[in-house]
Amino acid sequence: MQHATAHRRSTLIAVLALTGSMASLCIGTSFAKSLFSALGAQGTTALRVSFSALILLCVWRPWRMPLTRANARAIALYGAALGATNLLFYMSLRTIPLGLAIAIEFTGPLAVAVLSSRRAIDFLWIAFAVTGLLLLLPVGAAAGTLDPVGIGYALAAGVGWALYIVFGQMAGNAHGGQATSLGLTMAALVVLPFGLAHAGTAMFSPTLLLFGLAVGILSSAIPYSLEMVALKRLHRRTFGILLSMEPAMGALAGLVFLHEQLSTVQWLAIASIITASVGCTMTSRGKREA
């Protein structure tokens, strides 16, 4: 009885931690979007990733751990993909709502999961994902006024996310904290030139540096920490199902903090992509939960 109660309490803590992680990420991204007028998407991305890297370098101190040449190469690729994904995603946010950008980006990891399985049931999830994308693409009156360039950036961010997963698995032999902190450092090296070229010295304004630190904490430090709490207590499949709710949470954050109104068709598109993600996770191969 006590064991069952402890298990339920542990699961509740994990669910709350993952929900808090997604909420922090979406709120941080909403806040970041408000900095675009001063720094542009490029400068905002550079500050966010750079501060995130500094925070995790201080936390993990990766130089204390041994690093093989193979792991270093994999982490460099993982970090480059991470930096490109962040930059492309923030570029998409200039012209399309947060929730829709997250939903479109989700098609990247969804494609990795489906292509690695190739079972008949996965064609159903492909159909849901494609339906969601077709509802968002500017191919008819139902699509509304979504910017095709913004959609293109979000799709490219999805490709970057897929590469991030592939390269992250290659770096799996390294310590998790070491890989994440060094990967973010590489990501910062990738995006900083774009930020400096666009925003220039404005990036070093004390006020904007403070805001950039807040974005880094909300978008990376807090989510990563809470995700670690959740991963230790939740089955991988349950974790994936809950994480699939992020597009909806992003849409709500965009509505509350950025006043981004979505049409009924756009909400249906988000629901279709979430269904694809949840379904793919639920039918994935792996150990069943106890």
Side-chain angles (χ1 to χ4, degrees):
M1 187 70 174
Q2 288 181 341
H3 176 74
T5 302
H7 177 72
R8 284 195 295 270
R9 185 183 298 114
S10 178
T11 301
L12 177 60
I13 290 171
V15 170
L16 291 175
L18 185 56
T19 303
S21 169
M22 291 187 289
S24 181
L25 177 63
C26 292
I27 292 170
T29 305
S30 299
F31 182 48
K33 191 169 181 176
S34 68
L35 300 180
F36 284 8
S37 59
L39 293 171
Q42 301 93 324
T44 304
T45 307
L47 282 186
R48 178 234 168 138
V49 175
S50 298
F51 275 118
S52 300
L54 286 173
I55 291 168
L56 290 183
L57 283 173
C58 292
V59 170
W60 291 108
R61 292 176 285 175
W63 53 86
R64 300 178 305 161
M65 309 170 197
L67 183 66
T68 66
R69 181 175 297 181
N71 282 342
R73 184 166 52 249
I75 289 172
L77 291 170
Y78 157 81
L82 179 60
T85 301
N86 275 272
L87 180 60
L88 291 166
F89 178 70
Y90 271 44
M91 292 293 283
S92 76
L93 291 179
R94 296 179 305 169
T95 54
I96 64 176
L98 173 59
L100 300 184
I102 294 175
I104 295 170
E105 187 190 30
F106 249 71
T107 59
L110 181 59
V112 171
V114 169
L115 291 175
S116 64
S117 178
R118 298 177 184 175
R119 291 178 299 146
I121 186 65
D122 291 321
F123 287 100
L124 176 62
W125 313 133
I126 291 173
F128 272 107
V130 170
T131 299
L133 282 177
L134 289 177
L135 289 173
L136 294 177
L137 293 177
V139 292
T145 57
L146 285 185
D147 173 46
V149 176
I151 292 175
Y153 274 123
L155 285 171
V159 174
W161 195 355
L163 292 174
Y164 157 83
I165 292 172
V166 173
F167 294 141
Q169 291 172 341
M170 290 170 55
N173 291 329
H175 182 276
Q178 182 189 50
T180 304
S181 55
L182 291 180
L184 269 169
T185 302
M186 182 64 188
L189 293 175
V190 169
V191 301
L192 265 174
F194 294 94
L196 289 170
H198 182 85
T201 56
M203 281 181 57
F204 304 105
S205 162
T207 301
L208 292 177
L209 283 173
L210 186 62
F211 288 156
L213 175 60
V215 169
I217 292 172
L218 285 170
S219 300
S220 296
I222 292 177
Y224 286 142
S225 301
L226 291 176
E227 280 185 12
M228 283 186 178
V229 173
L231 278 169
K232 290 179 180 178
R233 293 172 169 83
L234 283 180
H235 188 277
R236 186 175 178 180
R237 184 172 297 174
T238 306
F239 183 92
I241 292 170
L242 290 172
L243 194 63
S244 299
M245 298 298 109
E246 192 172 310
M249 192 167 289
L252 291 174
L255 177 64
V256 172
F257 297 103
L258 300 171
H259 309 293
E260 294 175 340
Q261 301 283 344
L262 302 185
S263 68
T264 301
V265 170
Q266 290 167 347
W267 277 109
L268 286 173
I270 290 176
S272 186
I273 291 172
I274 288 175
T275 300
S277 184
V278 171
C280 183
T281 303
M282 289 183 67
T283 58
S284 64
R285 297 185 189 276
K287 295 178 180 179
R288 294 186 178 275
E289 292 181 76

